[in-house]
Amino acid sequence: MEPEPPSSDSMPEAHTAHKTPGTTSIEMVEKDSTLSWVYKGCTEGKLHPDLDFNLIQDVPEVYALCSHNNAQPKIYTVDEHNSVKECIVVAGTNVVDSGSLIQITGRSISHGLVLNKEQFLDKVYHIPEDAIVVPSFTDSHVHSLEYGFHRLLPLDDAESIPVSLVKSYILSNPSVHANKTKWIYGWGFDKTRWHEDSANSSFSSTSTDSEIWPTYHAFESDPVTAGRPIWLTSKDGHAVWTSKKVIELAEGRWGFEDGKWPDNEDLEGGRIMRGKDGRPDGIFLDNAQSLIHVPTPFEDNLMRFEIAVADALANGITAMHDAGFLPETLEFYERTVSEGRVLPIRMYAMHNFNASAPYWGNTTEKYDHKVNRLKMSSVKLVCDGAMRSGGAYLYEPYTDDPSSFGFMRLPASLLNDIIPKFLKDGWQVNAHAIGDRANGLVLDAFEKGERELWEEQGIELKERRPRIEHAQIMTTGDLERIGKLGVIASIQPTHATDDMWYGEARLGPERVKGLYAFRSMMNSGARITLGSDIPVEGISPLEGFYAAITRTDKSGNSPHGSDGWFPEQKLTRLEALRGMTIDPAYASFSESTLGSLEPGKKADFVVLSKDIMSVEDPKEVLKTKVLATALDGKVVFGQLVN
């Protein structure tokens, strides 16, 4: 039976979150002078078919969660031995015991958690017959604020230039429609899906034959979108398509007289697509985006964050590693915590690196705000671009664009300087590298850092737990080297099942074998940690789990048939589960408190409707529902059944 919602008279005055179909609502309230969030139910929409969003459930301070009566143990603890238990006991925010119902009942009485057997049994929740419990999921690579504006204006499924979607968004939001100065953000456009003729005036006339891009003319041709500041980000996050107004505003801020912008040769790690007059015509790649960026107001970021958190909890995610695109992401978290709020999700935030700023690794303080759930001890380096947009840096040219090798956003000389510095100053270095040459250069810099760290401080590189974010295309030699160095591969399985359809066209039949070679990485001794890269891919960890173990799309297809794309690179179910639980805990220096359901660790868990570890048909994984999500022992989504 669902708990009754509190009356409006009993609730403190609250900041009401933006409600989006398919999300819960999160409200920020003041309680005992500490700002925090509470979770409210929302029946406006559903994230998954047949899944309702329930109110937060009030559970006892001490309770037990057990497998279904008379069923096999179904609580996957993901401990060192991958034990499967019948029950766990939660006291406060922690797991304090595990074992059979008989065992935990006796121990709970002897340890003084309850007075007698009857009192304890009143605090026992049983999961449904086919359900299981696993540690709640951690997404090792997210862009949370960007995910929020993607949910407001998603462009993923557009099969033509998505001006109509932008127009519909404007017309359906009266406050936006009435204010032509309001910035409009969207995410996910994918020109590889469009059917427009490249000769259309909406496309750039200066692009190469294989890299056709849209222009701002598409917005100017419609009176609803014309004259507005519009910023649309590509699916991979490495290209921004803007309206003419955004370009004009940037020209005013930078003083680009007569529309004269920096030449592409002067934009290291970036590129501007231009019209016949030499002025930008709407597309800014990678580092060139800094010329048009305008900071987002805190209130807008708060709304985006609330959307991201609501969707995360509904999918069983209680921790995220935020690889934010911009400095304002970390600034948002720090301001939120400084104002006394406890984040409604655990956040391991990466510090942005700006190549033009002075080195700060020896002056900036790392922190771990356990109460507020915010931790920052890593630096994010964006070393190259993305394969989809042609920016991933390769040893050999792109097969479908022989004129291009991609590009580095940070030169090798800089990496060889700053990576050892950050490592010696105690930072975890998380380097975005996608192309094979970019990955090789990053590993070179890690090797240099390894030598200096040992020679100067007697510390092994593995102690710093360096990461390569994405590690998509690697040579055979570098697939061995990443394991030898002890570098963590932060990988995204749904990237593999998305990119498999065009990967060979971009890279050719031999080089593509080193694309998303997960098994080869693990065979070299490398540790992995799994994520989604939202909003580039969907937020569901179960989709990532399915992609990792099948290497097929949701229909069970791949370029190599139903057995999967390069099936020898599949992960096992246990590897996939550990990659979403204990491995990301290790990758964020949190394995002593997070990532497994063991006594002394946080009671962060998720109840799933099906046993994803044993269900015969992998497609059943995609039909699995999240029945309940718990964070610090409290149910923040769904319900436990007594």
Side-chain angles (χ1 to χ4, degrees):
M1 183 174 178
E2 292 187 9
E4 289 293 322
S7 68
S8 57
D9 293 336
S10 66
M11 291 294 291
E13 186 174 341
H15 164 81
T16 303
H18 174 89
K19 280 189 175 182
T20 302
T23 67
T24 57
S25 169
I26 302 178
E27 294 185 350
M28 188 173 65
V29 301
E30 187 168 357
K31 183 178 181 181
D32 299 329
S33 74
T34 300
L35 286 168
S36 187
W37 273 277
V38 296
Y39 307 87
K40 301 284 291 176
C42 174
T43 57
E44 291 180 23
K46 300 177 181 180
L47 188 63
H48 299 295
D50 306 319
L51 177 61
D52 289 321
F53 294 87
N54 303 319
L55 294 174
I56 183 172
Q57 182 180 9
D58 188 18
V59 294
E61 183 71 10
V62 176
Y63 65 91
L65 182 63
C66 292
S67 308
H68 188 266
N69 288 325
N70 302 318
Q72 293 292 319
K74 288 293 183 179
I75 298 180
Y76 292 84
T77 65
V78 196
D79 63 8
E80 182 182 2
H81 305 290
N82 297 307
S83 306
V84 184
K85 302 285 189 177
E86 181 183 350
C87 303
I88 58 172
V89 179
V90 176
T93 63
N94 287 359
V95 175
V96 296
D97 196 8
S98 65
S100 70
L101 182 56
I102 294 174
Q103 291 171 331
I104 64 169
T105 301
R107 288 195 291 258
S108 295
I109 295 170
S110 64
H111 293 160
L113 295 177
V114 292
L115 296 175
N116 52 51
K117 178 180 178 180
E118 290 72 23
Q119 187 183 62
F120 183 75
L121 293 179
D122 282 343
K123 301 174 183 290
V124 176
Y125 296 89
H126 288 276
I127 63 176
E129 185 172 3
D130 296 324
I132 64 169
V133 177
V134 299
S136 56
F137 301 118
T138 294
D139 192 322
S140 294
H141 191 106
V142 308
H143 304 282
S144 63
L145 303 185
E146 289 78 8
Y147 176 82
F149 73 69
H150 167 264
R151 289 281 277 108
L152 293 170
L153 181 52
L155 308 172
D156 313 63
D157 296 329
E159 295 187 354
S160 61
I161 291 184
V163 174
S164 61
L165 296 179
V166 179
K167 181 177 179 179
S168 296
Y169 172 78
I170 295 170
L171 294 175
S172 63
N173 289 272
S175 62
V176 176
H177 186 232
N179 182 4
K180 292 201 72 169
T181 66
K182 178 74 174 176
W183 282 67
I184 297 166
Y185 294 93
W187 187 292
F189 79 84
D190 182 0
K191 64 188 180 64
T192 66
R193 295 174 55 94
W194 298 347
H195 304 307
E196 248 71 8
D197 186 342
S198 62
N200 189 296
S201 62
S202 295
F203 285 83
S204 172
S205 59
T206 61
S207 302
T208 65
D209 290 340
S210 60
E211 293 293 322
I212 302 298
W213 292 96
T215 73
Y216 64 69
H217 296 289
F219 301 120
E220 299 309 305
S221 63
D222 191 295
V224 175
T225 55
R228 296 177 181 270
I230 300 171
W231 174 298
L232 306 183
T233 305
S234 64
K235 178 177 172 61
D236 60 18
H238 289 262
V240 168
W241 172 25
T242 74
S243 62
K244 186 177 182 180
K245 186 65 175 179
V246 171
I247 296 170
E248 292 172 346
L249 291 171
E251 288 176 343
R253 288 194 307 274
W254 290 99
F256 294 152
E257 297 181 3
D258 299 323
K260 183 169 178 54
W261 288 61
D263 293 333
N264 282 340
E265 292 75 15
D266 299 325
L267 294 173
E268 186 167 33
R271 185 181 178 193
I272 300 172
M273 307 304 290
R274 305 169 192 264
K276 294 178 180 179
D277 59 359
R279 295 181 66 181
D281 59 7
I283 291 292
F284 296 80
L285 300 181
D286 290 293
N287 288 352
Q289 296 171 25
S290 63
L291 296 173
I292 55 173
H293 173 68
V294 174
T296 307
F298 177 80
E299 292 73 19
D300 287 353
N301 280 334
L302 184 64
M303 177 180 68
R304 295 170 180 177
F305 178 62
E306 290 168 345
I307 292 171
V309 171
D311 281 7
L313 298 177
N315 279 277
I317 300 167
T318 60
M320 290 177 159
H321 300 178
D322 199 312
F325 278 113
L326 301 166
E328 68 185 62
T329 301
L330 181 59
E331 292 167 3
F332 165 78
Y333 292 134
E334 290 178 337
R335 174 176 169 180
T336 301
V337 168
S338 71
E339 293 178 355
R341 301 175 186 137
V342 176
L343 297 181
I345 195 167
R346 303 191 194 283
M347 191 61 67
Y348 184 63
M350 304 179 198
H351 197 297
N352 179 270
F353 175 77
N354 182 351
S356 63
Y359 176 74
W360 47 262
N362 56 351
T363 56
T364 299
E365 183 179 354
K366 311 171 194 70
Y367 51 77
D368 184 3
H369 300 307
K370 290 183 171 63
V371 173
N372 301 88
R373 301 185 181 132
L374 177 63
K375 183 175 183 178
M376 191 279 292
S377 60
S378 64
V379 57
K380 167 76 177 299
L381 309 178
V382 183
C383 301
D384 70 339
M387 184 176 70
R388 184 183 297 267
S389 54
Y393 192 44
L394 305 176
Y395 282 110
E396 301 295 334
Y398 282 89
T399 300
D400 59 356
D401 185 6
S403 67
S404 176
F405 291 82
F407 49 78
M408 288 294 285
R409 294 182 64 173
L410 299 175
S413 59
L414 181 62
L415 296 180
N416 286 326
D417 177 40
I418 60 169
I419 285 181
K421 282 183 179 178
F422 276 117
L423 292 171
K424 289 183 287 187
D425 284 324
W427 291 86
Q428 179 189 46
V429 177
N430 301 343
H432 161 119
I434 289 180
D436 52 8
R437 192 169 186 181
N439 276 289
L441 292 173
V442 168
L443 291 175
D444 289 345
F446 278 140
E447 281 187 335
K448 184 173 183 287
E450 179 186 45
R451 291 192 300 271
E452 294 184 16
L453 196 59
W454 179 254
E455 291 170 359
E456 298 178 25
Q457 300 180 8
I459 295 174
E460 292 187 353
L461 178 65
K462 292 180 181 180
E463 293 185 37
R464 294 287 187 255
R465 304 185 189 182
R467 296 166 48 160
I468 294 184
E469 304 298 315
H470 310 304
Q472 287 183 10
I473 312 164
M474 302 189 82
T475 65
T476 301
D478 284 342
L479 285 169
E480 291 293 328
R481 193 159 55 134
I482 191 173
K484 180 181 177 182
L485 284 170
V487 174
I488 298 168
S490 175
I491 55 180
Q492 299 78 42
T494 48
H495 279 346
T497 53
D498 192 11
D499 294 356
M500 65 184 178
W501 298 106
Y502 71 90
E504 186 167 336
R506 299 239 73 180
L507 301 176
E510 287 303 315
R511 189 166 44 178
V512 75
K513 295 176 182 177
L515 178 63
Y516 302 112
F518 301 155
R519 172 60 52 204
S520 297
M521 291 177 187
M522 296 194 69
N523 288 347
S524 77
R527 292 196 68 143
I528 63 169
T529 187
L530 304 184
S532 66
D533 201 11
I534 60 168
V536 179
E537 305 290 351
I539 198 170
S540 169
L542 295 175
E543 292 182 5
F545 184 95
Y546 171 85
I549 67 172
T550 67
R551 293 177 72 95
T552 68
D553 64 16
K554 295 177 186 179
S555 300
N557 300 317
S558 83
H560 296 163
S562 60
D563 194 34
W565 182 63
F566 294 112
E568 68 275 8
Q569 299 292 348
K570 293 177 186 177
L571 300 183
T572 68
R573 297 189 193 213
L574 183 58
E575 288 167 343
L577 179 61
R578 292 183 69 88
M580 297 176 173
T581 53
I582 192 64
D583 289 337
Y586 175 84
S588 58
F589 301 90
S590 305
E591 73 274 15
S592 63
T593 56
L594 304 177
S596 60
L597 298 175
E598 301 178 73
K601 289 194 173 186
K602 291 296 183 182
D604 295 357
F605 61 82
V606 58
V607 182
L608 301 175
S609 64
K610 296 177 184 288
D611 188 347
I612 62 172
M613 303 302 290
S614 65
V615 64
E616 186 174 351
D617 183 358
K619 289 181 184 177
E620 291 298 307
V621 171
L622 299 175
K623 300 177 184 177
T624 301
K625 307 291 193 297
V626 172
L627 302 180
T629 304
L631 171 64
D632 276 332
K634 305 302 181 186
V635 178
V636 292
F637 174 80
Q639 267 197 319
L640 302 178
V641 180
N642 200 240

